[in-house]
Amino acid sequence: MAQRKRGPFVSVQLMSRWRNIVGLNVGMGEFLHKYPHVFELFVHPLRRNLCCKITQRMRDLIDEEGKIVKEYEPELLQKVKKLLMMSKNGTLHVHALRLIRRELGLPEDFRDSILRTHSKDFRLVDLEIVELVDRNESLAKAEVEKWREKEYVDKWLSEFETSYAFPINFPTGFKIEGGYREKLKNWQRLPYLKPYESKEVLRVRTCGGIERFEKRAVGIIHELLSLTVEKMLEVDRLAHFRKDFAIEVNVRELLLKHPGIFYICTKGSTQTVFLREAYSKGCLALPNPIYVVRRKMLDLILLGHRNTRSLEDLEEIKEERNGSVFRTNVGVRRDGDWIVPILDSYDQNAFGSLGDINDSKQPFDGCESGRN
């Protein structure tokens, strides 16, 4: 809608053709009516056809996200560098980066605004491959190393226990079989080639070769998820990095083998993997500015039909930490007003909000994790 040249609105009839593009399984009109705080429907004054545009509140949040992305360009630059440093040959396919652009927080035109603009850091080998010009060893430190240092200092654990360990958080009801704790303890101690270390050839047939190869893949996926805005990615998109990161394994099976580190959620035909340690009580434990503004967008979606009697007369919105208070001037019914029933409570099942991962509650209906 934002890319329309004739104006910031589109006819509902034209939008009906977008159903397959955006993956809707309901009618476009029905979908638009579900979210009045996001989409505003109106009759075109000249053509007299039903049109749709983004509400001002949603538009403000979209603009706010764009400003934050520009302000955080140096950090985004470092993210791309770290991804290239993890790759086998210091190169990545631009198409793979484009698939996770939003998850990384990159701008839509990142190919020109970041890759081309910073020619001292990146080189476009051809139209679809980007190469790192020079490694920055100060960036060659995985996020999990911060947790390892804290464990070493706070819990007085030895380097043997922490140097190659990962934070583990099992879900409620996870059945621990006989001998599993001992296997996990040995796996935590197992050395592996860390994500930013030199990509020497690992002989799988040697003693512990397969386990070390898989643990290296776990480390790379863990670091990739740590670099994302919401510490989550679609599983299918991870597969596009297998060759570049030299982790040619069955990604889904690998994730399911480590339910204490990763959480796989299935919604429809889409599988999403979350980093367990990053979440607490359904939200990021350490939120970032891009995540915060996206949560505000989600709040508008979750409002559904609430407070729709007089959207035009909305005077004050007071946001609190644990909720929102809305004050409106409810006027007399006027001709042409939309009459929409106001729901008494959210339909949490429909929205599938993320539960408490670290507190070991199941975050989604229809999700699968580990040995469930």
Side-chain angles (χ1 to χ4, degrees):
M1 293 178 67
Q3 295 175 354
R4 301 292 297 176
K5 297 181 179 180
R6 295 183 179 180
F9 62 90
V10 183
S11 68
V12 176
Q13 182 180 6
L14 176 60
M15 292 180 69
S16 299
R17 304 175 187 175
W18 299 352
R19 281 186 58 189
N20 295 332
I21 299 176
V22 299
L24 280 182
N25 56 3
V26 297
M28 182 61 72
E30 179 183 353
F31 175 76
L32 297 177
H33 278 290
K34 287 175 64 177
Y35 307 107
H37 290 277
V38 179
F39 302 109
E40 180 181 342
L41 297 171
F42 66 98
V43 177
H44 196 280
L46 299 179
R47 301 181 181 179
R48 310 304 298 174
N49 60 336
L50 188 62
C51 297
C52 176
K53 64 179 180 180
I54 302 294
T55 62
Q56 187 59 46
R57 291 171 63 191
M58 189 65 176
R59 172 56 55 191
D60 291 342
L61 291 175
I62 294 174
D63 294 340
E64 182 181 350
E65 182 186 11
K67 291 178 182 178
I68 293 174
V69 168
K70 288 184 179 180
E71 292 174 0
Y72 278 76
E73 184 173 311
E75 292 188 11
L76 300 177
L77 190 66
Q78 290 184 1
K79 285 185 180 182
V80 178
K81 283 184 179 180
K82 296 184 80 167
L83 289 174
L84 286 166
M85 288 171 62
M86 281 196 295
S87 65
K88 182 171 59 176
N89 300 317
T91 60
L92 283 176
H93 286 78
V94 178
H95 174 68
L97 286 175
R98 191 178 295 114
L99 287 175
I100 62 170
R101 174 194 67 80
R102 180 169 173 78
E103 285 80 359
L104 291 173
L106 297 175
E108 189 173 354
D109 62 340
F110 76 94
R111 192 172 182 276
D112 295 323
S113 62
I114 292 183
L115 301 184
R116 285 189 182 276
T117 302
H118 300 276
S119 56
K120 294 182 180 179
D121 301 304
F122 310 113
R123 181 188 300 115
L124 287 169
V125 179
D126 54 35
L127 294 177
E128 282 301 318
I129 295 180
V130 58
E131 182 182 16
L132 184 64
V133 174
D134 188 22
R135 284 177 62 92
N136 185 354
E137 294 302 329
S138 64
L139 299 176
K141 185 176 182 179
E143 288 295 316
V144 72
E145 295 294 341
K146 299 178 182 178
W147 173 84
R148 290 168 180 167
E149 292 175 0
K150 186 176 180 181
E151 290 288 294
Y152 176 76
V153 174
D154 294 350
K155 296 185 178 181
W156 291 47
L157 297 176
S158 65
E159 291 187 15
F160 178 67
E161 297 287 343
T162 60
S163 294
Y164 300 98
F166 288 87
I168 303 294
N169 299 282
F170 289 118
T172 301
F174 181 78
K175 185 178 180 180
I176 298 179
E177 300 175 353
Y180 182 78
R181 290 185 183 275
E182 188 65 26
K183 289 181 180 179
L184 178 61
K185 189 175 182 180
N186 293 333
W187 184 86
Q188 288 280 62
R189 295 171 176 174
L190 182 69
Y192 70 99
L193 192 65
K194 296 182 179 180
Y196 299 108
E197 292 180 349
S198 59
K199 306 301 181 292
E200 60 188 35
V201 178
L202 180 64
R203 296 181 180 179
V204 177
R205 294 184 179 181
T206 59
C207 181
I210 296 177
E211 289 80 7
R212 292 185 183 187
F213 184 79
E214 289 187 349
K215 191 168 183 178
R216 175 181 172 272
V218 169
I220 289 178
I221 295 174
H222 186 284
E223 180 68 3
L224 178 56
L225 291 174
S226 298
L227 294 176
T228 61
V229 173
E230 301 179 61
K231 317 306 177 189
M232 53 171 277
L233 272 177
E234 290 185 16
V235 176
D236 289 342
R237 297 183 180 184
L238 279 173
H240 290 269
F241 292 90
R242 290 170 59 205
K243 289 186 178 180
D244 290 332
F245 289 159
I247 52 171
E248 297 187 40
V249 296
N250 188 315
V251 175
R252 184 177 179 277
E253 288 185 3
L254 181 70
L255 297 174
L256 289 175
K257 284 177 67 174
H258 301 279
I261 302 175
F262 307 112
Y263 182 92
I264 292 185
C265 171
T266 302
K267 282 291 182 180
S269 59
T270 303
Q271 289 187 325
T272 306
V273 56
F274 292 82
L275 197 59
R276 280 189 179 275
E277 70 199 66
Y279 279 85
S280 175
K281 299 187 182 301
C283 300
L284 278 184
L286 299 174
N288 54 74
I290 299 179
Y291 171 80
V292 171
V293 71
R294 289 181 181 176
R295 289 292 300 187
K296 293 179 181 178
M297 295 180 185
L298 180 60
D299 289 341
L300 287 185
I301 295 173
L302 295 180
L303 278 174
H305 287 289
R306 283 177 174 265
N307 197 43
T308 56
R309 185 183 295 261
S310 184
L311 283 173
E312 296 178 357
D313 296 333
L314 184 63
E315 288 184 348
E316 181 181 356
I317 301 177
K318 182 181 179 181
E319 294 186 354
E320 300 178 346
R321 184 177 182 84
N322 297 325
S324 300
V325 177
F326 299 90
R327 298 178 181 175
T328 62
N329 286 339
V330 180
V332 181
R333 178 180 173 183
R334 300 167 297 181
D335 293 338
D337 279 356
W338 290 94
I339 305 300
V340 185
I342 299 178
L343 302 181
D344 293 329
S345 60
Y346 292 123
D347 184 356
Q348 295 293 347
N349 292 330
F351 298 128
S353 59
L354 185 62
D356 188 350
I357 293 183
N358 271 356
D359 289 352
S360 300
K361 295 179 182 178
Q362 291 298 338
F364 287 97
D365 295 333
C367 296
E368 54 184 328
S369 174
R371 300 172 180 265
N372 288 358

